[in-house]
Amino acid sequence: MKLTLRRRMILNALAFAAPISIAQTPATGDTGAALEEVTVTAQRRAENIQQVPISITAFTAGELERRNITSPLALIPYIPNLNGNNNTGLGSANVYYMRGLGNTETIATFDPPVGTYVDDVYIARQNSNNFGLFDAERIEVLHGPQGTLFGRNTTGGAINLIMRKPGDTLRGFVELGFGSFGQRRARGVIDLPINDRLSTQLAAYYVDSDGYVNNVTTGKKDNAEDEKGVRAAMRLKVSEDVTWDASLNFVYSGTFNKLNFECGTLAAPGTPAGGCSGRFNNSAFGQQPLSGILISIPNPAVSATATQLVPTTLANGKGDRKAGLDTNTLLGASNLQVNLGNNATLNFITGIIHLQQDYLYDFSEGRQGRSFGGFPTTGLSGAPLVQRPLIIVNAAGVISPNGGPNILAQQETGDSFSQEIKLTGEAREGKLKYVSGLYYFREDYDTDLGDVSTNFTTGATTLAAQVPRAYDTRVSADRLIKNTTRSWAVFAQGDWQFNDAFKATVGLRFTDESKSVAVTDQRDLRAMPIIAGVQRPDLRLDTTNLVRLGIPTRISTSMLTPRVALNYTPKEDVMLFASATRGFRSGGWNVRGTSAAAFTPALPEKAWTYELGAKTEWFDNRLRANVTFFYLIDKQFQAPSAFVDSNGQTQFVTRNDADMQNQGAEIELYARPIKGLNLFVTAGLQDAKYSSVTPTTLGLQANCLALRALGGIFGNQCGIGVVTPQGNISKPVRTPDLTLSVGGSYDIKLGEAWTLTPSINVAHQSETNTAAANLVYSIDSSGVINIDGIGSYLSGSTQEAYTLLNASVTLAGGPDERWKVIVDCNNGTDEVYTQSAISGYSFLNPPRTYSARVNFTF
């Protein structure tokens, strides 16, 4: 561990210990100032968060409102050691990295390391996990592997959304709002009790905006919000001992996260000559369906090895839409709870999800992706590499109007079903508390995916003279992937209370899981792979050729994942714990590969996490101080990477390049020193590194270093996986040394009827990287772009240290305290930083936004 991190951990531990020494005498005064008790179901039963030996961050409905959290994405700055953002391109998808474990890949053959649950129903697909909150009761964020009690095994953690259940009285609210960039939003919910046994609930939300990116080619706005959802829920009290909760949720997302640039920066060649302000892009792609696609076929009239380009199309109409995204998610949840008596409860939890997604996306924004293979290089051994990026501009910096697109066209449909039978209860006069059950999960998914790439028809040396530059738009791959998952598990966990001070927890889960995949090559049958002038249909991307190459089409995993924890409570409101927990994430296939040989599998990821922690409350529960120290070892870490190969094509690959180790601490302080004043400080510290690098990766590194010594660099050797462009082993992505959030709110009484509540929240994160190979472009004082860190940062995967300022003011009151007026500002200082990167381009965070809302409760 780095010395600086050790010092931080020691200092924070001492800061945590300080209140223990001074709080032996309880504070006196107004008990109305006590902190709100937080109930969680992290161990699949209702418990006070302070009594659960797990690192958890939880937000009640009141806390969500105070911090202006309207989506799971807004949680990220407030969770220690959590890094994430909205995914590149897909507004419906959130990327979560907990303690360094995460995944940017949304394709259906890979599972997210941080699982998302809605009312205990697992959302399997990361491309639809930005779930609308409707009317949330609370959100729980669990740190570390969830290998015993939660539905699907995860290595990083879980985000559990619990929606408020229908009440037995007429109740509801309506909220309308407006904001920057033409934002319009509406939200509402109503509880409609039918009788003393049946209660129903209807909820809906709508968010729309004009977009914050100026497209200087089309004159329109990009990156607009387009979100809507409806929810119907019921609670039926079948009898004194039987309750049935059920809900049906529909969520639509058309929000598109296009690549864009900040005006006036060196990373934005192509800035309009007349200047601009804010964010801009140049892409003309997207106003019309994709057309003019070509494919290469043999031309025997010329020679045995000659080819010619002929028009073609993408199969099943994938290119017949305008650029954009449509994601439709239907989620049904059912929980039948039966009280068996003798403190035992049986739950039948059923989940059904149907997902449809259709998008057409140019992830290079009309620019050719920067690549090593596409860079002319000069320099001898030991000299810096001089590189000039393939950006289609003339000598005046004006970008080509037709660009150089790298396009993904995708249509997918998936259905999942989960069934859990869970038994909870107590025995031995409360000394034993147990949770046990069975779990079954089934998923069937079809992904129709086409890749279209730019192939320039002139040499790079003549780049500056050609605007627009001649290029061909060709189909690289067009395949239909069908994959299935079948998983079942049996689990049990028991807490044994030895005496008032000591408790032990032992849990175990056995999971048996199988995945299968089949692929059909949908490219024009005239276009066969050509080797030595001979067409090779045996090399087409289909299941038969996968089998011929020895690539498995079925992966099975059976695993035991235990958990052991010890609790010690030396005094009331002080709980110390130690735990060891195992989790795993099953393997998958690189179905974005453009050939059968690239359709490689990744092995399952297996994680152990060890924790030491303390949960304490002081001064009549006015101060809550929790700390957890952790050590994580993740075997066969699945590292997703994107790189541009020597042919100028962007490749997306997930591989087991190494193991990953991480260690650190998570600290949470909450205080209410006086009534109405709420304060918090949370901090995460971590030190991550790769270990046990695979021989294949070490060989790739050796080849890269050898090429570097000769003064050259190629896209199929350097800057791939966890090998950096310089030939080093990279630092694990999204593992900043420090995540810190500080904030608070204060209720100011304005007479008898109204309350004014200002709130301010500050979140800071130290520097980290967002792409596996840590690819960064710098520019030196002479204007030469390089990958060796010479000069200032230009673009790439570095997420530089940033500080976000969010603030709001709420005026509440009126007759029966039914009215609220909320004015808020997010990213108040208009901080700009890299959220993620593809092909060396930085995808930026959203700019400063503000809104005003009016809420009426009835």
Side-chain angles (χ1 to χ4, degrees):
M1 182 183 292
K2 295 177 182 177
L3 182 60
T4 54
L5 181 57
R6 277 202 183 119
R7 287 174 176 168
R8 285 188 192 136
M9 292 175 63
I10 293 169
L11 291 173
N12 280 283
L14 292 174
F16 164 77
I20 297 179
S21 63
I22 65 174
Q24 303 303 316
T25 303
T28 59
D30 182 10
T31 57
L35 287 163
E36 178 183 11
E37 182 176 307
V38 179
T39 299
V40 297
T41 52
Q43 295 192 118
R44 309 301 307 283
R45 60 172 181 262
E47 298 173 287
N48 186 321
I49 191 173
Q50 295 301 103
Q51 299 172 0
V52 180
I54 300 174
S55 180
I56 314 169
T57 303
F59 299 87
T60 62
E63 191 64 23
L64 292 172
E65 183 176 317
R66 281 190 289 270
R67 300 199 201 184
N68 191 36
I69 294 172
T70 57
S71 75
L73 192 66
L75 289 169
I76 293 173
Y78 306 115
I79 311 297
N81 289 330
L82 179 65
N83 179 284
N85 55 269
N86 198 229
N87 208 348
T88 52
L90 308 181
S92 62
N94 291 344
V95 173
Y96 301 116
Y97 273 71
M98 179 69 75
R99 296 174 176 174
L101 297 180
N103 192 8
T104 56
E105 181 57 85
T106 61
I107 207 75
T109 58
F110 285 105
D111 299 318
V114 179
T116 300
Y117 294 81
V118 177
D119 288 337
D120 288 331
V121 173
Y122 174 67
I123 297 179
R125 295 296 111 232
Q126 188 162 282
N127 56 353
S128 184
N129 65 354
N130 193 15
F131 197 82
L133 294 187
F134 293 101
D135 187 17
E137 178 180 311
R138 70 182 182 277
I139 301 177
E140 303 172 10
V141 180
L142 285 69
H143 305 242
Q146 303 303 311
T148 305
L149 296 179
F150 277 82
R152 291 293 299 285
N153 261 271
T154 55
T155 52
I159 296 177
N160 193 15
L161 283 66
I162 297 93
M163 301 300 180
R164 193 183 59 81
K165 303 301 182 288
D168 55 8
T169 60
L170 181 66
R171 172 261 185 201
F173 69 84
V174 176
E175 184 175 279
L176 299 174
F178 302 90
S180 51
F181 306 111
Q183 186 191 75
R184 302 160 291 275
R185 61 169 58 235
R187 189 167 64 110
V189 63
I190 184 170
D191 287 356
L192 294 169
I194 306 301
N195 52 45
D196 59 354
R197 287 183 177 270
L198 177 62
S199 297
T200 63
Q201 181 187 88
L202 295 174
Y205 74 94
Y206 168 85
V207 181
D208 182 66
S209 73
D210 298 333
Y212 61 83
V213 177
N214 298 305
N215 189 315
V216 298
T217 300
T218 66
K220 297 183 178 181
K221 297 281 191 178
D222 287 333
N223 284 18
E225 296 173 283
D226 186 8
E227 309 281 340
K228 54 184 71 74
V230 294
R231 170 181 168 87
M234 75 157 198
R235 165 164 281 189
L236 176 63
K237 298 177 182 177
V238 181
S239 68
E240 287 286 333
D241 296 318
V242 180
T243 302
W244 182 26
D245 286 304
S247 66
L248 188 64
N249 309 264
F250 172 77
V251 175
Y252 167 81
S253 175
T255 300
F256 212 36
N257 180 16
K258 275 188 177 181
L259 180 67
N260 60 91
F261 301 89
E262 188 182 11
C263 290
T265 62
L266 292 174
T271 301
C276 67
S277 60
R279 305 286 182 82
F280 81 100
N281 66 19
N282 293 271
S283 178
F285 172 74
Q287 302 307 304
Q288 300 294 331
L290 189 60
S291 62
I293 311 172
L294 302 173
I295 197 163
S296 179
I297 67 169
N299 187 3
V302 177
S303 71
T305 60
T307 61
Q308 62 181 334
L309 295 175
V310 299
T312 189
T313 59
L314 291 174
N316 304 319
K318 292 190 296 297
D320 296 341
R321 61 161 295 162
K322 293 182 180 180
L325 166 74
D326 292 293
T327 304
N328 297 282
T329 306
L330 184 67
L331 185 153
S334 170
N335 189 338
L336 182 65
Q337 180 170 297
V338 181
N339 183 359
L340 302 178
N342 297 318
N343 296 317
T345 302
L346 189 64
N347 292 83
F348 299 87
I349 303 170
T350 307
I352 299 174
I353 298 177
H354 176 72
L355 171 64
Q356 287 183 309
Q357 188 171 76
D358 179 8
Y359 67 84
L360 187 64
Y361 175 44
D362 172 16
F363 57 84
S364 287
E365 191 266 329
R367 304 161 188 248
Q368 170 68 1
R370 293 168 173 160
S371 73
F372 302 134
F375 278 80
T377 62
T378 61
L380 301 174
S381 177
L385 294 171
V386 179
Q387 305 183 8
R388 305 188 185 283
L390 287 177
I391 303 172
I392 312 168
V393 296
N394 64 10
V398 179
I399 197 164
S400 166
N402 58 354
N406 286 279
I407 298 166
L408 291 180
Q410 185 164 318
Q411 297 173 345
E412 53 188 303
T413 302
D415 293 284
S416 66
F417 169 81
S418 61
Q419 179 63 60
E420 182 176 28
I421 302 174
K422 176 171 67 81
L423 178 66
T424 59
E426 299 180 0
R428 293 295 189 94
E429 298 179 345
K431 287 188 175 182
L432 174 65
K433 294 183 179 180
Y434 58 86
V435 181
S436 61
L438 301 170
Y439 181 81
Y440 174 76
F441 176 82
R442 182 187 73 223
E443 182 181 43
D444 297 281
Y445 220 87
D446 291 353
T447 303
D448 191 348
L449 175 60
D451 294 271
V452 177
S453 63
T454 298
N455 292 267
F456 291 106
T457 58
T458 55
T461 57
T462 62
L463 170 63
Q466 303 194 32
V467 176
R469 189 175 178 204
Y471 70 92
D472 300 319
T473 303
R474 305 184 192 180
V475 171
S476 303
D478 191 4
R479 60 279 202 209
L480 175 64
I481 304 112
K482 293 179 175 288
N483 64 283
T484 65
T485 300
R486 302 291 186 267
S487 178
W488 66 270
V490 56
F491 62 92
Q493 179 172 296
D495 297 343
W496 180 263
Q497 192 78 48
F498 290 98
N499 52 44
D500 291 341
F502 286 97
K503 181 168 66 175
T505 299
V506 177
L508 184 65
R509 186 184 194 95
F510 173 76
T511 302
D512 183 82
E513 185 166 291
S514 65
K515 290 183 173 183
S516 64
V517 68
V519 59
T520 302
D521 197 324
Q522 300 180 129
R523 286 175 292 186
D524 195 315
L525 289 174
R526 295 173 295 172
M528 299 288 183
I530 301 173
I531 304 296
V534 179
Q535 283 191 296
R536 296 284 300 275
D538 57 314
L539 296 181
R540 285 175 65 82
L541 181 52
D542 56 40
T543 305
T544 301
N545 286 329
L546 295 182
V547 174
R548 185 184 61 82
L549 292 171
I551 296 174
T553 59
R554 182 181 178 88
I555 297 174
S556 296
T557 305
S558 297
M559 193 169 298
L560 288 169
T561 48
R563 171 175 167 78
V564 178
L566 295 174
N567 294 19
Y568 173 55
T569 307
K571 62 186 294 295
E572 188 178 2
D573 295 331
V574 174
M575 189 265 284
L576 311 177
F577 68 91
S579 68
T581 308
R582 193 188 195 198
F584 82 94
R585 179 164 70 108
S586 57
W589 291 267
N590 287 296
V591 299
R592 295 192 189 277
T594 57
S595 67
F599 206 93
T600 51
L603 299 173
E605 185 177 278
K606 308 170 186 178
W608 273 102
T609 293
Y610 306 92
E611 294 183 344
L612 289 173
K615 297 190 174 186
T616 67
E617 289 184 338
W618 310 96
F619 307 115
D620 287 343
N621 295 343
R622 296 189 189 195
L623 172 66
R624 184 173 296 148
N626 298 338
V627 63
T628 303
F629 297 93
F630 70 89
Y631 174 74
L632 160 70
I633 177 67
D634 187 82
K635 298 286 187 180
Q636 299 174 172
F637 176 70
Q638 295 177 14
S641 65
F643 61 94
V644 183
D645 65 18
S646 55
N647 295 318
Q649 295 184 0
T650 301
Q651 304 290 343
F652 299 89
V653 179
T654 298
R655 307 187 311 186
N656 308 103
D657 285 326
D659 297 342
M660 200 267 279
Q661 298 179 22
N662 199 357
Q663 54 190 335
E666 289 145 2
I667 301 159
E668 296 184 294
L669 303 174
Y670 302 93
R672 186 173 291 175
I674 59 175
K675 188 174 182 179
L677 178 60
N678 296 278
L679 305 172
F680 71 88
V681 178
T682 66
L685 304 169
Q686 57 184 332
D687 179 22
K689 64 180 180 180
Y690 290 122
S691 62
S692 302
V693 180
T694 64
T696 299
T697 301
L698 291 174
L700 187 68
Q701 180 189 22
N703 292 339
C704 175
L705 291 172
L707 289 169
R708 293 274 303 185
L710 296 174
I713 189 165
F714 299 88
N716 59 355
Q717 298 294 327
C718 299
I720 300 176
V722 299
V723 178
T724 70
Q726 295 77 32
N728 304 315
I729 298 300
S730 64
K731 178 178 172 57
V733 299
R734 300 183 184 274
T735 54
D737 289 347
L738 173 67
T739 54
L740 176 69
S741 64
V742 180
S745 63
Y746 183 53
D747 298 332
I748 304 170
K749 281 293 185 180
L750 302 177
E752 293 294 326
W754 294 91
T755 302
L756 185 70
T757 305
S759 174
I760 186 167
N761 306 305
V762 178
H764 175 78
Q765 180 184 281
S766 60
E767 182 179 296
T768 188
N769 256 279
T770 64
N774 298 173
L775 170 61
V776 169
Y777 290 95
S778 300
I779 185 166
D780 66 15
S781 57
S782 301
V784 175
I785 297 173
N786 64 90
I787 59 168
D788 292 326
I790 302 171
S792 57
Y793 176 77
L794 183 64
S795 71
S797 70
T798 294
Q799 188 173 89
E800 296 181 295
Y802 66 83
T803 301
L804 293 178
L805 173 65
N806 301 328
S808 67
V809 176
T810 301
L811 179 64
D816 299 323
E817 299 183 347
R818 292 186 173 184
W819 290 94
K820 287 182 183 176
V821 179
I822 307 108
V823 178
D824 64 71
C825 179
N826 290 317
N827 189 11
T829 58
D830 206 15
E831 187 90 350
V832 180
Y833 59 90
T834 298
Q835 283 194 328
S836 55
I838 294 180
S839 303
Y841 288 112
S842 299
F843 282 73
L844 305 178
N845 66 303
R848 175 175 50 229
T849 60
Y850 59 86
S851 70
R853 290 169 285 147
V854 177
N855 183 295
F856 176 71
T857 302
F858 57 90

